[in-house]
Amino acid sequence: MSTAVPEITFDAFDPEHRADPYPAYRRVRDAGALFPYRFGDVPVTLITRYEECSQVLTGNDWGHGYSAGISPFRDTTAAIPGSFVRMDPPEHGRYRKLVAKAFTPRTIAELTPVAGRVVDELVDAALARGSFDIMEDLAVPLAVAMIPVRLLGGDPADAARFREWQLAIARGSDPDSLLDEGAVTVRGQAAMACMGYFAELVQRKKHSPTTDLLGELVTASVEGDFLTEPEVVGLSLLLLVAGMETSINLIGNGMLALLRNPDQWNLLRDNRDLVEPALDEMLRYDAPTQFTIRVALNDTVVGGHQFRRGDGVVVLTASASRDDRVYPDADRFDITRYAGTRPARKHLGFSLGIHYCVGAPLARLEAATALQALLDRAPDLRLAATDIEYRPSLIHRGVMALPVAI
Ligand code: HEM
């Protein structure tokens, strides 16, 4: 009698798995390091395990292939001027160098008291109510204050517009082949409105220079010979979307993990040197960015498979970060994993290689400041809901709301 081998299907992206895609990631990861899949009508290979994911992210044979015209992904965001997250060297490095200036240890030190004041005010108001939503009452206004307002010099009174544009564009960061027509239309409208807004701001900054990141980029475009005004506007949109959705979801996903594991919350409350390691564990355990895409720039071998130039892969970083081959008991949320003398291997929550998140220091500052304030001022914080609803994006993972009580 022959034993039928059960066919493995990849269903992590089905809406019913939105609350917990990790068992589905595990199934394909256990089946193999590579898994053939389709992104809509684009055939791709899912890269499921840590070693192979890190090989693709750090290898010179992989990139985005837009300038070479070989990308199979119809990613219209790649056409936004200055959008270096989808560029390959040498163009990528030129833009990244300009933006990285905003995230040096010195600028982060300057931003630290700003984040502290914003968080204090938000937490004061939230605690006065007794119960609140960590997303709308803390994570979202904090991200608005730090990114469109502080980095880009936008008007705080436009907070609702920044959030609306950022959500629509973030939803539209999923590959086009996975989006319905409505999501594509809303993304297009939001991108137009957002670029119009920043184009106006750029004009104002040309006449009255400022020292925020957008002001510096405007100066670079006036003085330098390669950054154009449309690129400055495109970079603003990239920073708004790449910075807001993710840093909001780090606070949401991370707080959810802590509140669902009260022993870890209590441990952190009593050991504040675990705050930084806890952020890494949050990024490993339930990352705001679940995957990224890459294209083979040359014929190359990964996981024993021969890829041809132009082949597309989905690097499932959130699966790699739960790979037991690298992280013992990987499904356990353990804030001590990154502490001590032999911390766990670098997680892929901020990616690896040349596209490693340039805004990571700001994301860490926002989350650490929010976390410290809650640990100090709401030491008995608890979840006030059992059913947690997720946003529909696949690439971004985040909850709609996170109600808590003190
Ligand atoms: C917890 C929060 C964040 C997470 C999880 C996150 C995640 C990531 C990831 C995974 C990438 C690499 C994508 C790839 O390899 O294809 C990336 C790149 C990037 N991130 Fe972040 N990010 C966060 C916060 C921020 C913030 C606060 C900013 C800026 C305000 C920012 C700006 C960028 C930019 C500009 C890139 C492109 C870098 C490049 O291509 O060289 N991110 N981020």
Side-chain angles (χ1 to χ4, degrees), residues 102 137 253 312:
D137 296 328
N253 298 354

Side-chain angles (χ1 to χ4, degrees), residues 57 64 84-87 92 96 99 103 147 151 238-240 242-244 246-250 283 287-289 291-294 317 348-352 354-360 362-364 366:
L57 291 175
H64 287 286
F84 62 99
V85 66
R86 291 279 176 266
M87 287 180 195
H92 166 266
R96 177 160 175 130
V99 169
F103 304 106
I147 298 163
L151 279 190
L238 171 66
L239 288 164
L240 183 84
M244 274 187 68
T246 49
S247 54
I248 290 167
N249 290 337
L250 172 58
L283 286 154
T289 310
F291 60 84
T292 182
I293 53 175
R294 290 292 188 273
T317 46
L348 305 185
F350 285 131
S351 190
L352 285 181
I354 64 163
H355 292 283
Y356 183 84
C357 179
V358 72
L362 176 59
R364 299 187 79 99
E366 285 178 31

Side-chain angles (χ1 to χ4, degrees), residues 32-112:
L34 308 180
F35 194 80
Y37 188 62
R38 295 190 80 80
F39 250 19
D41 57 354
V42 179
V44 292
T45 302
L46 300 178
I47 314 283
T48 67
R49 295 182 185 165
Y50 187 98
E51 294 301 344
E52 289 76 8
C53 283
S54 79
Q55 192 186 334
V56 170
L57 291 175
T58 56
N60 295 334
D61 290 325
W62 295 92
H64 287 286
Y66 286 102
S67 54
I70 55 168
S71 176
F73 297 104
R74 288 186 307 280
D75 179 355
T76 43
T77 61
I80 295 174
S83 189
F84 62 99
V85 66
R86 291 279 176 266
M87 287 180 195
D88 297 329
E91 293 88 1
H92 166 266
R94 302 213 313 248
Y95 297 91
R96 177 160 175 130
K97 220 165 102 190
L98 279 177
V99 169
K101 281 190 196 151
F103 304 106
T104 60
R106 190 174 59 85
T107 31
I108 293 298
E110 281 165 17
L111 288 175
T112 303

Side-chain angles (χ1 to χ4, degrees), residues 255-270:
M255 282 303 299
L256 180 61
L258 276 175
L259 296 177
R260 277 183 173 161
N261 293 275
D263 59 319
Q264 299 294 296
W265 170 262
N266 293 341
L267 182 64
L268 189 57
R269 192 182 53 200
D270 301 336

